[in-house]
Amino acid sequence: MNLNLNGKTALVTGAGSGIGQAVALAFAREGANVVLTDLKQESLDETVKLIEQANKDVQTVTVIADAGNPDDHQKAVDAAMETFGRLDAAVNNAGMGGEAVPVAEVNVKNWQKVLEVNLSGVFYGMQAQLNAMLGGEGGSIVNVASILGQAGWANGAAYVASKHGVVGLTRTAALDYAQKGVRVNAVGPGFIETPILGQDRQALDYLASLHPMGRLGKPEEIAHLIVFLSSPLASLITGAYYNADGGYLAK
Ligand SMILES: NC(=O)c1ccc[n+]([C@@H]2O[C@H](COP(=O)([O-])OP(=O)(O)OC[C@H]3O[C@@H](n4cnc5c(N)ncnc54)[C@H](O)[C@@H]3O)[C@@H](O)[C@H]2O)c1
């Protein structure tokens, strides 16, 4: 299957780790130049190194950017336009977990931080990305939600609310731009083995047991879905929310 991404430009937030790193690498393998953003240069450097090993024919640009800051998203889009003259695909992936307490005990500052990064971050990102795509040849945006964009999770109020918000925001943006050449979709990963889950083996085994497939997902398994949705092969798909979750939501 040829995804036809040669010469395209893809922007990935949170590209220094986990799912974002796998997505950036998958875009590069398919021939796209990649703009990578994250909080720390060292983590971005690691992703750039992996991309250089995977495909010498693509170029990368790194931008230190806080997902909760609209200006940083604009900086990343400007970098794409200045370096490559186009933005074809954007993946709003940067995200954080919240504190594990019941609703009445949620610290308001923590609530605001999680909503700012996980939900407003996607909104800020899309505003900058849409303007570039609408002024060019159109494009595709994929927002990383979660299975917790559809199901609840005890003691996870801020995270769950933020991910439900990402799904609704995605659907609405898809409707806004359905006739304007920009497709907008969301993905809902089940629990994926990345640093966000921590390293407690017993806790990871418990999370794995919640999935009918009996295992955690791998970042690459989410990256493949995202890169497909970003490609011309997904030309009819917009406003969709696809789960890749080992059967979690089928229960
Ligand atoms: N791992 C899972 O089980 C899982 C499941 C469903 C959804 N997700 C979502 O997938 C996305 C990626 O998570 P991951 O599992 O790869 O975790 P990760 O911790 O490996 O990666 C998250 C990346 O986002 C970056 N980030 C965090 N806050 C940021 C901010 N304010 N500005 C910019 N970058 C920031 C981190 O530096 C990190 O590089 C997140 O949105 C997460 O909610 C993860």
PDB file of all heavy atoms in Angstrom, residues 1 3 5 19 22-27 29-30 142 187 218-231 233-234 244:
ATOM      1  N   MET A   1       0.845  -1.193   0.000  1.00  0.00           N
ATOM      2  CA  MET A   1       0.000   0.000   0.000  1.00  0.00           C
ATOM      3  C   MET A   1       0.884   1.248   0.000  1.00  0.00           C
ATOM      4  O   MET A   1       1.798   1.354   0.815  1.00  0.00           O
ATOM      5  CB  MET A   1      -0.872  -0.010   1.272  1.00  0.00           C
ATOM      6  CG  MET A   1      -1.988   0.969   1.182  1.00  0.00           C
ATOM      7  SD  MET A   1      -3.394   0.600   2.282  1.00  0.00           S
ATOM      8  CE  MET A   1      -2.646   0.004   3.792  1.00  0.00           C
ATOM      9  N   LEU A   3       1.066   5.113   0.649  1.00  0.00           N
ATOM     10  CA  LEU A   3       0.272   6.174   1.281  1.00  0.00           C
ATOM     11  C   LEU A   3       0.470   7.537   0.624  1.00  0.00           C
ATOM     12  O   LEU A   3      -0.169   8.513   1.010  1.00  0.00           O
ATOM     13  CB  LEU A   3       0.601   6.258   2.775  1.00  0.00           C
ATOM     14  CG  LEU A   3       0.223   5.030   3.610  1.00  0.00           C
ATOM     15  CD1 LEU A   3       0.552   5.260   5.081  1.00  0.00           C
ATOM     16  CD2 LEU A   3      -1.249   4.683   3.468  1.00  0.00           C
ATOM     17  N   LEU A   5       2.836   9.925   0.630  1.00  0.00           N
ATOM     18  CA  LEU A   5       3.185  11.077   1.473  1.00  0.00           C
ATOM     19  C   LEU A   5       4.542  11.685   1.104  1.00  0.00           C
ATOM     20  O   LEU A   5       5.024  12.589   1.797  1.00  0.00           O
ATOM     21  CB  LEU A   5       3.162  10.674   2.955  1.00  0.00           C
ATOM     22  CG  LEU A   5       1.768  10.288   3.471  1.00  0.00           C
ATOM     23  CD1 LEU A   5       1.839   9.776   4.902  1.00  0.00           C
ATOM     24  CD2 LEU A   5       0.802  11.456   3.387  1.00  0.00           C
ATOM     25  N   ILE A  19       3.808   7.698  21.702  1.00  0.00           N
ATOM     26  CA  ILE A  19       2.994   7.659  20.481  1.00  0.00           C
ATOM     27  C   ILE A  19       3.463   8.726  19.488  1.00  0.00           C
ATOM     28  O   ILE A  19       3.582   8.460  18.289  1.00  0.00           O
ATOM     29  CB  ILE A  19       1.501   7.843  20.831  1.00  0.00           C
ATOM     30  CG1 ILE A  19       0.993   6.649  21.650  1.00  0.00           C
ATOM     31  CG2 ILE A  19       0.658   8.012  19.566  1.00  0.00           C
ATOM     32  CD1 ILE A  19      -0.391   6.832  22.269  1.00  0.00           C
ATOM     33  N   ALA A  22       6.524   7.648  17.658  1.00  0.00           N
ATOM     34  CA  ALA A  22       6.206   6.601  16.670  1.00  0.00           C
ATOM     35  C   ALA A  22       5.498   7.202  15.452  1.00  0.00           C
ATOM     36  O   ALA A  22       5.722   6.772  14.317  1.00  0.00           O
ATOM     37  CB  ALA A  22       5.330   5.522  17.317  1.00  0.00           C
ATOM     38  N   VAL A  23       4.652   8.200  15.680  1.00  0.00           N
ATOM     39  CA  VAL A  23       3.939   8.840  14.566  1.00  0.00           C
ATOM     40  C   VAL A  23       4.932   9.593  13.673  1.00  0.00           C
ATOM     41  O   VAL A  23       4.894   9.485  12.438  1.00  0.00           O
ATOM     42  CB  VAL A  23       2.854   9.816  15.092  1.00  0.00           C
ATOM     43  CG1 VAL A  23       2.268  10.647  13.961  1.00  0.00           C
ATOM     44  CG2 VAL A  23       1.758   9.040  15.809  1.00  0.00           C
ATOM     45  N   ALA A  24       5.829  10.357  14.296  1.00  0.00           N
ATOM     46  CA  ALA A  24       6.824  11.114  13.520  1.00  0.00           C
ATOM     47  C   ALA A  24       7.664  10.163  12.667  1.00  0.00           C
ATOM     48  O   ALA A  24       7.928  10.412  11.480  1.00  0.00           O
ATOM     49  CB  ALA A  24       7.707  11.926  14.467  1.00  0.00           C
ATOM     50  N   LEU A  25       8.059   9.061  13.272  1.00  0.00           N
ATOM     51  CA  LEU A  25       8.877   8.065  12.569  1.00  0.00           C
ATOM     52  C   LEU A  25       8.084   7.430  11.418  1.00  0.00           C
ATOM     53  O   LEU A  25       8.612   7.227  10.312  1.00  0.00           O
ATOM     54  CB  LEU A  25       9.296   7.004  13.585  1.00  0.00           C
ATOM     55  CG  LEU A  25      10.418   6.060  13.259  1.00  0.00           C
ATOM     56  CD1 LEU A  25      11.674   6.797  12.809  1.00  0.00           C
ATOM     57  CD2 LEU A  25      10.733   5.195  14.489  1.00  0.00           C
ATOM     58  N   ALA A  26       6.823   7.152  11.650  1.00  0.00           N
ATOM     59  CA  ALA A  26       5.989   6.526  10.604  1.00  0.00           C
ATOM     60  C   ALA A  26       5.791   7.489   9.429  1.00  0.00           C
ATOM     61  O   ALA A  26       5.836   7.077   8.268  1.00  0.00           O
ATOM     62  CB  ALA A  26       4.644   6.096  11.191  1.00  0.00           C
ATOM     63  N   PHE A  27       5.577   8.770   9.720  1.00  0.00           N
ATOM     64  CA  PHE A  27       5.475   9.758   8.632  1.00  0.00           C
ATOM     65  C   PHE A  27       6.773   9.772   7.818  1.00  0.00           C
ATOM     66  O   PHE A  27       6.741   9.800   6.583  1.00  0.00           O
ATOM     67  CB  PHE A  27       5.222  11.161   9.195  1.00  0.00           C
ATOM     68  CG  PHE A  27       3.777  11.512   9.380  1.00  0.00           C
ATOM     69  CD1 PHE A  27       3.285  11.871  10.629  1.00  0.00           C
ATOM     70  CD2 PHE A  27       2.897  11.508   8.300  1.00  0.00           C
ATOM     71  CE1 PHE A  27       1.943  12.214  10.802  1.00  0.00           C
ATOM     72  CE2 PHE A  27       1.555  11.854   8.464  1.00  0.00           C
ATOM     73  CZ  PHE A  27       1.080  12.205   9.724  1.00  0.00           C
ATOM     74  N   ARG A  29       9.020   7.462   7.468  1.00  0.00           N
ATOM     75  CA  ARG A  29       9.158   6.219   6.678  1.00  0.00           C
ATOM     76  C   ARG A  29       8.333   6.293   5.401  1.00  0.00           C
ATOM     77  O   ARG A  29       8.687   5.703   4.389  1.00  0.00           O
ATOM     78  CB  ARG A  29       8.692   5.013   7.511  1.00  0.00           C
ATOM     79  CG  ARG A  29       9.675   4.626   8.584  1.00  0.00           C
ATOM     80  CD  ARG A  29       9.543   3.143   8.948  1.00  0.00           C
ATOM     81  NE  ARG A  29      10.662   2.744   9.787  1.00  0.00           N
ATOM     82  CZ  ARG A  29      10.599   2.597  11.107  1.00  0.00           C
ATOM     83  NH1 ARG A  29       9.454   2.780  11.734  1.00  0.00           N
ATOM     84  NH2 ARG A  29      11.675   2.262  11.798  1.00  0.00           N
ATOM     85  N   GLU A  30       7.211   7.032   5.452  1.00  0.00           N
ATOM     86  CA  GLU A  30       6.336   7.174   4.272  1.00  0.00           C
ATOM     87  C   GLU A  30       6.761   8.338   3.378  1.00  0.00           C
ATOM     88  O   GLU A  30       6.054   8.687   2.433  1.00  0.00           O
ATOM     89  CB  GLU A  30       4.878   7.353   4.704  1.00  0.00           C
ATOM     90  CG  GLU A  30       4.281   6.130   5.379  1.00  0.00           C
ATOM     91  CD  GLU A  30       4.248   4.896   4.481  1.00  0.00           C
ATOM     92  OE1 GLU A  30       4.102   5.047   3.260  1.00  0.00           O
ATOM     93  OE2 GLU A  30       4.393   3.779   5.009  1.00  0.00           O
ATOM     94  N   VAL A 142      -5.269  15.017  12.724  1.00  0.00           N
ATOM     95  CA  VAL A 142      -5.684  13.909  13.584  1.00  0.00           C
ATOM     96  C   VAL A 142      -5.401  14.312  15.031  1.00  0.00           C
ATOM     97  O   VAL A 142      -4.274  14.699  15.373  1.00  0.00           O
ATOM     98  CB  VAL A 142      -4.928  12.599  13.254  1.00  0.00           C
ATOM     99  CG1 VAL A 142      -5.350  11.497  14.225  1.00  0.00           C
ATOM    100  CG2 VAL A 142      -5.203  12.162  11.814  1.00  0.00           C
ATOM    101  N   VAL A 187      -8.360   9.775  17.142  1.00  0.00           N
ATOM    102  CA  VAL A 187      -8.114   8.365  17.433  1.00  0.00           C
ATOM    103  C   VAL A 187      -8.235   8.149  18.946  1.00  0.00           C
ATOM    104  O   VAL A 187      -7.985   9.060  19.732  1.00  0.00           O
ATOM    105  CB  VAL A 187      -6.725   7.885  16.944  1.00  0.00           C
ATOM    106  CG1 VAL A 187      -6.628   7.985  15.428  1.00  0.00           C
ATOM    107  CG2 VAL A 187      -5.597   8.644  17.621  1.00  0.00           C
ATOM    108  N   LYS A 218       1.082  -1.061  21.459  1.00  0.00           N
ATOM    109  CA  LYS A 218       2.417  -0.500  21.195  1.00  0.00           C
ATOM    110  C   LYS A 218       2.223   0.829  20.461  1.00  0.00           C
ATOM    111  O   LYS A 218       1.302   0.961  19.649  1.00  0.00           O
ATOM    112  CB  LYS A 218       3.221  -1.438  20.299  1.00  0.00           C
ATOM    113  CG  LYS A 218       3.430  -2.821  20.869  1.00  0.00           C
ATOM    114  CD  LYS A 218       4.342  -3.609  19.906  1.00  0.00           C
ATOM    115  CE  LYS A 218       4.634  -4.995  20.420  1.00  0.00           C
ATOM    116  NZ  LYS A 218       3.476  -5.885  20.385  1.00  0.00           N
ATOM    117  N   PRO A 219       3.101   1.807  20.695  1.00  0.00           N
ATOM    118  CA  PRO A 219       2.954   3.103  20.026  1.00  0.00           C
ATOM    119  C   PRO A 219       2.807   2.975  18.506  1.00  0.00           C
ATOM    120  O   PRO A 219       2.027   3.694  17.885  1.00  0.00           O
ATOM    121  CB  PRO A 219       4.257   3.834  20.394  1.00  0.00           C
ATOM    122  CG  PRO A 219       4.712   3.195  21.658  1.00  0.00           C
ATOM    123  CD  PRO A 219       4.239   1.767  21.619  1.00  0.00           C
ATOM    124  N   GLU A 220       3.524   2.024  17.906  1.00  0.00           N
ATOM    125  CA  GLU A 220       3.471   1.852  16.446  1.00  0.00           C
ATOM    126  C   GLU A 220       2.057   1.506  15.989  1.00  0.00           C
ATOM    127  O   GLU A 220       1.650   1.841  14.876  1.00  0.00           O
ATOM    128  CB  GLU A 220       4.407   0.720  15.983  1.00  0.00           C
ATOM    129  CG  GLU A 220       5.864   0.922  16.260  1.00  0.00           C
ATOM    130  CD  GLU A 220       6.232   0.778  17.720  1.00  0.00           C
ATOM    131  OE1 GLU A 220       5.626  -0.034  18.437  1.00  0.00           O
ATOM    132  OE2 GLU A 220       7.122   1.515  18.176  1.00  0.00           O
ATOM    133  N   GLU A 221       1.310   0.797  16.842  1.00  0.00           N
ATOM    134  CA  GLU A 221      -0.033   0.368  16.440  1.00  0.00           C
ATOM    135  C   GLU A 221      -0.993   1.556  16.354  1.00  0.00           C
ATOM    136  O   GLU A 221      -2.006   1.495  15.660  1.00  0.00           O
ATOM    137  CB  GLU A 221      -0.550  -0.701  17.408  1.00  0.00           C
ATOM    138  CG  GLU A 221       0.267  -1.978  17.294  1.00  0.00           C
ATOM    139  CD  GLU A 221      -0.170  -3.043  18.289  1.00  0.00           C
ATOM    140  OE1 GLU A 221      -0.098  -2.785  19.502  1.00  0.00           O
ATOM    141  OE2 GLU A 221      -0.574  -4.137  17.858  1.00  0.00           O
ATOM    142  N   ILE A 222      -0.685   2.618  17.081  1.00  0.00           N
ATOM    143  CA  ILE A 222      -1.476   3.843  16.974  1.00  0.00           C
ATOM    144  C   ILE A 222      -0.948   4.679  15.800  1.00  0.00           C
ATOM    145  O   ILE A 222      -1.711   5.278  15.039  1.00  0.00           O
ATOM    146  CB  ILE A 222      -1.404   4.642  18.295  1.00  0.00           C
ATOM    147  CG1 ILE A 222      -1.841   3.761  19.470  1.00  0.00           C
ATOM    148  CG2 ILE A 222      -2.266   5.902  18.197  1.00  0.00           C
ATOM    149  CD1 ILE A 222      -3.204   3.107  19.321  1.00  0.00           C
ATOM    150  N   ALA A 223       0.365   4.675  15.650  1.00  0.00           N
ATOM    151  CA  ALA A 223       0.979   5.464  14.562  1.00  0.00           C
ATOM    152  C   ALA A 223       0.464   5.022  13.199  1.00  0.00           C
ATOM    153  O   ALA A 223       0.197   5.850  12.327  1.00  0.00           O
ATOM    154  CB  ALA A 223       2.498   5.342  14.633  1.00  0.00           C
ATOM    155  N   HIS A 224       0.317   3.706  12.999  1.00  0.00           N
ATOM    156  CA  HIS A 224      -0.142   3.229  11.684  1.00  0.00           C
ATOM    157  C   HIS A 224      -1.527   3.776  11.366  1.00  0.00           C
ATOM    158  O   HIS A 224      -1.801   4.205  10.236  1.00  0.00           O
ATOM    159  CB  HIS A 224      -0.180   1.692  11.660  1.00  0.00           C
ATOM    160  CG  HIS A 224       1.182   1.080  11.765  1.00  0.00           C
ATOM    161  ND1 HIS A 224       1.421  -0.157  12.297  1.00  0.00           N
ATOM    162  CD2 HIS A 224       2.396   1.570  11.426  1.00  0.00           C
ATOM    163  CE1 HIS A 224       2.713  -0.418  12.272  1.00  0.00           C
ATOM    164  NE2 HIS A 224       3.325   0.614  11.747  1.00  0.00           N
ATOM    165  N   LEU A 225      -2.415   3.773  12.348  1.00  0.00           N
ATOM    166  CA  LEU A 225      -3.775   4.290  12.149  1.00  0.00           C
ATOM    167  C   LEU A 225      -3.718   5.788  11.832  1.00  0.00           C
ATOM    168  O   LEU A 225      -4.392   6.275  10.910  1.00  0.00           O
ATOM    169  CB  LEU A 225      -4.598   4.042  13.419  1.00  0.00           C
ATOM    170  CG  LEU A 225      -5.997   4.665  13.465  1.00  0.00           C
ATOM    171  CD1 LEU A 225      -6.880   4.134  12.340  1.00  0.00           C
ATOM    172  CD2 LEU A 225      -6.659   4.386  14.827  1.00  0.00           C
ATOM    173  N   ILE A 226      -2.911   6.519  12.581  1.00  0.00           N
ATOM    174  CA  ILE A 226      -2.847   7.975  12.398  1.00  0.00           C
ATOM    175  C   ILE A 226      -2.295   8.328  11.020  1.00  0.00           C
ATOM    176  O   ILE A 226      -2.816   9.216  10.329  1.00  0.00           O
ATOM    177  CB  ILE A 226      -1.995   8.618  13.512  1.00  0.00           C
ATOM    178  CG1 ILE A 226      -2.747   8.520  14.845  1.00  0.00           C
ATOM    179  CG2 ILE A 226      -1.630  10.062  13.181  1.00  0.00           C
ATOM    180  CD1 ILE A 226      -1.968   9.002  16.054  1.00  0.00           C
ATOM    181  N   VAL A 227      -1.253   7.643  10.606  1.00  0.00           N
ATOM    182  CA  VAL A 227      -0.649   7.986   9.313  1.00  0.00           C
ATOM    183  C   VAL A 227      -1.599   7.596   8.175  1.00  0.00           C
ATOM    184  O   VAL A 227      -1.717   8.319   7.185  1.00  0.00           O
ATOM    185  CB  VAL A 227       0.750   7.348   9.186  1.00  0.00           C
ATOM    186  CG1 VAL A 227       1.320   7.551   7.787  1.00  0.00           C
ATOM    187  CG2 VAL A 227       1.677   7.983  10.213  1.00  0.00           C
ATOM    188  N   PHE A 228      -2.312   6.496   8.323  1.00  0.00           N
ATOM    189  CA  PHE A 228      -3.331   6.159   7.319  1.00  0.00           C
ATOM    190  C   PHE A 228      -4.386   7.268   7.243  1.00  0.00           C
ATOM    191  O   PHE A 228      -4.730   7.751   6.155  1.00  0.00           O
ATOM    192  CB  PHE A 228      -4.006   4.817   7.640  1.00  0.00           C
ATOM    193  CG  PHE A 228      -5.268   4.611   6.850  1.00  0.00           C
ATOM    194  CD1 PHE A 228      -5.214   4.329   5.493  1.00  0.00           C
ATOM    195  CD2 PHE A 228      -6.515   4.765   7.448  1.00  0.00           C
ATOM    196  CE1 PHE A 228      -6.379   4.190   4.736  1.00  0.00           C
ATOM    197  CE2 PHE A 228      -7.685   4.633   6.706  1.00  0.00           C
ATOM    198  CZ  PHE A 228      -7.615   4.340   5.346  1.00  0.00           C
ATOM    199  N   LEU A 229      -4.897   7.692   8.406  1.00  0.00           N
ATOM    200  CA  LEU A 229      -5.942   8.744   8.403  1.00  0.00           C
ATOM    201  C   LEU A 229      -5.431  10.048   7.806  1.00  0.00           C
ATOM    202  O   LEU A 229      -6.198  10.846   7.283  1.00  0.00           O
ATOM    203  CB  LEU A 229      -6.439   8.995   9.839  1.00  0.00           C
ATOM    204  CG  LEU A 229      -7.340   7.913  10.430  1.00  0.00           C
ATOM    205  CD1 LEU A 229      -7.596   8.187  11.911  1.00  0.00           C
ATOM    206  CD2 LEU A 229      -8.660   7.819   9.670  1.00  0.00           C
ATOM    207  N   SER A 230      -4.116  10.263   7.887  1.00  0.00           N
ATOM    208  CA  SER A 230      -3.514  11.495   7.360  1.00  0.00           C
ATOM    209  C   SER A 230      -3.257  11.416   5.861  1.00  0.00           C
ATOM    210  O   SER A 230      -2.884  12.413   5.256  1.00  0.00           O
ATOM    211  CB  SER A 230      -2.167  11.749   8.060  1.00  0.00           C
ATOM    212  OG  SER A 230      -2.334  11.787   9.448  1.00  0.00           O
ATOM    213  N   SER A 231      -3.431  10.257   5.287  1.00  0.00           N
ATOM    214  CA  SER A 231      -3.026  10.042   3.895  1.00  0.00           C
ATOM    215  C   SER A 231      -4.200  10.207   2.931  1.00  0.00           C
ATOM    216  O   SER A 231      -5.368  10.127   3.341  1.00  0.00           O
ATOM    217  CB  SER A 231      -2.455   8.625   3.740  1.00  0.00           C
ATOM    218  OG  SER A 231      -3.514   7.687   3.654  1.00  0.00           O
ATOM    219  N   LEU A 233      -5.363   8.088   1.083  1.00  0.00           N
ATOM    220  CA  LEU A 233      -6.201   6.878   1.070  1.00  0.00           C
ATOM    221  C   LEU A 233      -7.429   7.027   1.971  1.00  0.00           C
ATOM    222  O   LEU A 233      -8.410   6.303   1.822  1.00  0.00           O
ATOM    223  CB  LEU A 233      -5.391   5.661   1.532  1.00  0.00           C
ATOM    224  CG  LEU A 233      -4.310   5.153   0.596  1.00  0.00           C
ATOM    225  CD1 LEU A 233      -3.809   3.791   1.071  1.00  0.00           C
ATOM    226  CD2 LEU A 233      -4.815   5.035  -0.826  1.00  0.00           C
ATOM    227  N   ALA A 234      -7.382   7.973   2.894  1.00  0.00           N
ATOM    228  CA  ALA A 234      -8.513   8.184   3.824  1.00  0.00           C
ATOM    229  C   ALA A 234      -9.368   9.363   3.376  1.00  0.00           C
ATOM    230  O   ALA A 234     -10.010  10.025   4.194  1.00  0.00           O
ATOM    231  CB  ALA A 234      -7.979   8.416   5.232  1.00  0.00           C
ATOM    232  N   ALA A 244      -8.289   2.198  18.686  1.00  0.00           N
ATOM    233  CA  ALA A 244      -7.356   1.092  18.476  1.00  0.00           C
ATOM    234  C   ALA A 244      -7.018   0.634  19.885  1.00  0.00           C
ATOM    235  O   ALA A 244      -6.169   1.222  20.568  1.00  0.00           O
ATOM    236  CB  ALA A 244      -6.111   1.569  17.728  1.00  0.00           C
TER     237      ALA A 244
END
